[in-house]
Amino acid sequence: MSFSRREFMQVLAVATAGGMALNHKDLLAGHHGAAQRLYDVPKFGNVSFMHFTDCHAQLTPVYFREPNVNLGVAEAVGRPPHIVGEQLLKFYGMKPGTPEAHAFSYLDFSQAAKTYGKVGGFAHLATLVKQIKASRPHALLLDGGDTWQGSATSLWTNGQDMVDACKMLGVNMMTPHWEFTFGAKRVQEVVEKDFKGHIEFLAQNVKTTDFEDLVFKPYAMREMNGVQVAVIGQAFPYTPIANPRYMVPDWTFGIQDEHMQKVVDEARSKGAQVVVVLSHNGMDVDIKMASRVRGIDAVLGGHTHDGMPAPVIVKNSGGQTLVTNAGSNSKFLGVLDFDVRGGKVQGYQYRLLPVFSNLIAADKAMDAFITQVRAPYKAKLDEKLAVTEDLLYRRGNFNGSWDQIICDALMEVKGADMAFSPGVRWGTSLLPGDTITYEKMMDQMALTYPATTLTEFTGEQIKGILEDVADNIFNPDPYYQQGGDMVRVGGMAYDISPNAKNGSRINNMSLKGKPIDANKKYKVAGWASVQEGTQGEPIWDVVSGYLRDKKVIKGVKINTPKVVGMGNNPGMVI
């Protein structure tokens, strides 16, 4: 059986129409040369970047289910990444049942995951990076952030496992977000000691609160094949809102379009023929920024965990900008090539390569490092808490089965009427029949402010909280979308109208069939408060105890709100 280059590129979900269905069994049986051809990206141009983002400290291969709800509002309706399921396959010309359909959609997830195996893992990613680098020795490897946080070992090592892994991987430059939840002092320690001479830590939008001095380098310049290129860093602009302000008390953030334009112009004035922004804004914010700032050739984005098979091309006063996003959990590696002649970009090639760990051999050195760094914690990581008969996942605008387990545990253990759990996007998946180990539980809650709480709120206050979060997600202006996904709610039912005005999106709140009384107080359990000094049992103690008690998880009833006015939205399949 032989495969042409064209067929394999279609498997990788590049921007081509009509992906061809390949024989999974032959492919995964290790058919001679198949994997090599699968990841054979043709040489193109003379300037190259490799990009990964939002790996959330996942050093080993994982399962990760893409969302079935990723709603777009206003101008974002029907625009990638707000297309899911079969609509997504049609948009990109992918065939159902192919590796690309599994990589980029939630469709038939459990069965497809059994067919294709786990994704990501730094040892497999390292092999792919080396393979791409072999044909592009000039390529820069860019890390879009959310790298040090998201696993038990990163939490227990204060992010050191990921810092060392990224140096070994050969990262050249990075920009941050969840890194800041280790605190400003820790971030500066890594930048000044571990990264010095190895990795550029870039952020044009992080300044001191007193004199507005830049805290980190705004950009870095390199030469590739005689072409000057600039990479500008854009840290997550709403860090002090989405995460605890007290962890970065002396720094300001923000999108900072005007300053971005100045940095772009400065880089151009110094001879940059290619300008790339390494961003952690999120896809919709990047698209708006690209329409307002001229002179950026491409935005390699992160934060919203969107695996984008092809760039969105954004027109602006200076021409056009490519905007991409490279998924999460080290599941993808983006490869962007530019053909630069006469001082200008004449063409480009983009590939977003799924990292199927069954198809890519583990890099021996990285594999040995991962084994070593995990060894002191292996017994705890492997502790068996329960078995799941359900598919466990998190990703989606409103809720997931993992989130529901957290809410159920909070309500049962805390004796609460309802529970709130933050709508973070990170968290790996488990297939039916899998063992829930301590490590897989920690994939859902490994953060530095884990305290659980039990608070009395009135019905009016509860509505206010939900309205605020909803506006963070569904404000028609992406520059006001400051959060993750919707807070996960256990116990209480409600309707949500994403297209309604602020203050009018949340309606028909009820508890056990009875309407929520605006003046009555209710016991609400929660965790991950951004308020300084919050005390309480860590969330992992609450949930691990709950799982040990249950032993088997089955029939999880996901508490999803009734979504109003979005019936034809291609970003939702419920």
Side-chain angles (χ1 to χ4, degrees):
M1 186 176 184
S2 62
F3 299 96
S4 71
R5 179 193 297 273
R6 180 172 179 270
E7 289 171 328
F8 272 95
M9 289 306 100
Q10 287 170 327
V11 172
L12 294 176
V14 298
T16 56
M20 298 180 67
L22 302 181
N23 188 318
H24 313 165
K25 293 180 180 179
D26 283 352
L27 188 64
L28 294 178
H31 188 84
H32 180 68
Q36 182 178 354
R37 290 191 295 271
L38 174 62
Y39 293 106
D40 177 21
V41 182
K43 291 182 182 180
F44 183 90
N46 50 354
V47 170
S48 301
F49 303 92
M50 294 179 287
H51 174 230
F52 72 96
T53 189
D54 296 272
C55 73
H56 284 286
Q58 296 301 324
L59 287 175
T60 60
V62 299
Y63 294 117
F64 183 76
R65 177 188 181 273
E66 299 295 334
N68 62 297
V69 182
N70 189 359
L71 290 169
V73 295
E75 295 180 357
V77 174
R79 181 185 71 194
H82 303 290
I83 308 173
V84 301
E86 293 178 358
Q87 295 269 33
L88 181 144
L89 300 192
K90 290 178 182 177
F91 187 92
Y92 288 110
M94 301 178 190
K95 295 289 187 181
T98 58
E100 57 186 338
H102 175 51
F104 290 96
S105 81
Y106 71 91
L107 295 169
D108 302 315
F109 179 79
S110 294
Q111 185 57 49
K114 291 176 182 177
T115 300
Y116 297 111
K118 294 182 178 181
V119 295
F122 260 49
H124 305 275
L125 180 62
T127 297
L128 184 56
V129 166
K130 287 180 178 179
Q131 182 171 325
I132 298 298
K133 190 91 170 174
S135 62
R136 296 162 173 80
H138 55 276
L140 291 174
L141 178 59
L142 308 182
D143 172 1
D146 280 7
T147 305
W148 307 351
Q149 178 278 333
S151 73
T153 56
S154 69
L155 182 68
W156 296 338
T157 65
N158 210 17
Q160 194 64 46
D161 63 336
M162 298 309 302
V163 169
D164 293 341
C166 286
K167 287 172 64 178
M168 182 175 284
L169 189 65
V171 170
N172 298 109
M173 303 169 189
M174 78 169 290
T175 200
H177 170 206
W178 275 89
E179 286 72 18
F180 291 122
T181 62
F182 286 99
K185 183 178 179 181
R186 173 60 174 154
V187 171
Q188 288 181 308
E189 178 183 61
V190 171
V191 172
E192 294 167 5
K193 295 181 181 179
D194 297 88
F195 279 5
K196 190 173 183 180
H198 299 280
I199 299 174
E200 300 270 22
F201 196 85
L202 306 175
Q204 72 86 25
N205 58 330
V206 181
K207 302 176 182 179
T208 59
T209 55
D210 49 11
F211 300 110
E212 295 191 344
D213 294 325
L214 286 169
V215 178
F216 307 105
K217 285 184 64 173
Y219 68 101
M221 294 188 67
R222 295 288 187 274
E223 183 179 302
M224 294 188 200
N225 296 316
V227 178
Q228 285 288 339
V229 304
V231 177
I232 303 171
Q234 175 82 353
F236 180 55
Y238 301 116
T239 296
I241 297 172
N243 307 105
R245 176 67 182 155
Y246 64 84
M247 292 180 169
V248 284
D250 301 321
W251 298 343
T252 65
F253 292 75
I255 297 170
Q256 311 245 2
D257 279 348
E258 289 185 9
H259 190 255
M260 175 66 80
Q261 186 66 70
K262 290 179 181 177
V263 175
V264 172
D265 293 344
E266 180 180 318
R268 290 286 184 185
S269 72
K270 290 184 177 181
Q273 297 175 38
V274 175
V275 175
V276 166
V277 173
L278 179 60
S279 169
H280 206 90
N281 279 338
M283 191 71 189
D284 291 338
V285 177
D286 279 335
I287 288 172
K288 180 174 179 178
M289 182 185 72
S291 74
R292 292 161 60 95
V293 180
R294 67 189 178 278
I296 300 171
D297 293 298
V299 179
L300 299 177
H303 179 60
T304 38
H305 292 201
D306 304 306
M308 295 293 297
V312 171
I313 300 175
V314 180
K315 303 291 185 182
N316 52 54
S317 62
Q320 70 179 33
T321 300
L322 309 176
V323 179
T324 71
N325 199 295
S328 65
N329 292 282
S330 63
K331 180 179 177 180
F332 297 102
L333 180 69
V335 182
L336 175 63
D337 298 309
F338 284 118
D339 176 17
V340 183
R341 285 174 283 122
K344 293 184 179 180
V345 173
Q346 304 294 336
Y348 75 92
Q349 173 181 268
Y350 182 71
R351 303 285 188 267
L352 189 57
L353 309 178
V355 183
F356 288 114
S357 60
N358 281 356
L359 298 183
I360 303 172
D363 178 78
K364 291 183 179 179
M366 183 67 79
D367 197 42
F369 165 77
I370 293 170
T371 300
Q372 178 185 7
V373 79
R374 289 166 56 86
Y377 313 102
K378 193 173 189 308
K380 188 65 174 175
L381 294 171
D382 293 344
E383 180 188 353
K384 297 178 180 179
L385 301 176
V387 173
T388 180
E389 294 184 6
D390 295 356
L391 170 64
L392 299 185
Y393 64 92
R394 166 172 281 161
R395 184 77 172 91
N397 282 156
F398 300 113
N399 212 340
S401 44
W402 257 124
D403 300 292
Q404 190 63 51
I405 288 172
I406 294 171
C407 287
D408 289 347
L410 282 167
M411 288 188 292
E412 181 171 309
V413 175
K414 295 287 187 180
D417 298 311
M418 61 187 75
F420 289 169
S421 185
V424 294
R425 297 184 181 90
W426 46 272
T428 60
S429 306
L430 285 179
L431 303 183
D434 281 353
T435 296
I436 304 175
T437 62
Y438 198 88
E439 177 176 25
K440 292 307 173 188
M441 178 198 71
M442 288 296 288
D443 284 354
Q444 319 303 318
M445 56 193 67
L447 48 67
T448 55
Y449 44 106
T452 56
T453 56
L454 183 63
T455 311
E456 287 194 338
F457 290 121
T458 64
E460 183 179 12
Q461 288 174 316
I462 292 168
K463 176 175 165 60
I465 291 168
L466 295 182
E467 289 283 6
D468 284 346
V469 178
D471 194 56
N472 276 342
I473 301 165
F474 299 118
N475 192 297
D477 185 343
Y479 278 18
Y480 289 93
Q481 296 172 5
Q482 300 171 348
D485 283 318
M486 192 67 191
V487 62
R488 281 50 172 127
V489 178
M492 187 188 79
Y494 68 98
D495 296 354
I496 185 168
S497 303
N499 285 328
K501 293 182 179 180
N502 187 19
S504 302
R505 292 188 178 95
I506 306 298
N507 296 288
N508 299 324
M509 300 188 306
S510 64
L511 183 67
K512 297 179 180 178
K514 296 182 178 180
I516 295 289
D517 186 332
N519 299 312
K520 182 179 176 181
K521 289 185 175 181
Y522 300 86
K523 292 181 180 180
V524 182
W527 69 288
S529 170
V530 298
Q531 300 302 313
E532 188 171 9
T534 301
Q535 299 292 316
E537 186 180 12
I539 184 64
W540 44 75
D541 286 351
V542 171
V543 177
S544 62
Y546 174 85
L547 292 171
R548 290 188 191 101
D549 181 59
K550 297 297 180 185
K551 295 183 176 59
V552 176
I553 297 297
K554 60 181 178 180
V556 176
K557 296 180 180 179
I558 302 176
N559 185 38
T560 303
K562 180 181 178 182
V563 184
V564 179
M566 307 294 276
N568 295 320
N569 194 297
M572 180 175 68
V573 179
I574 295 181

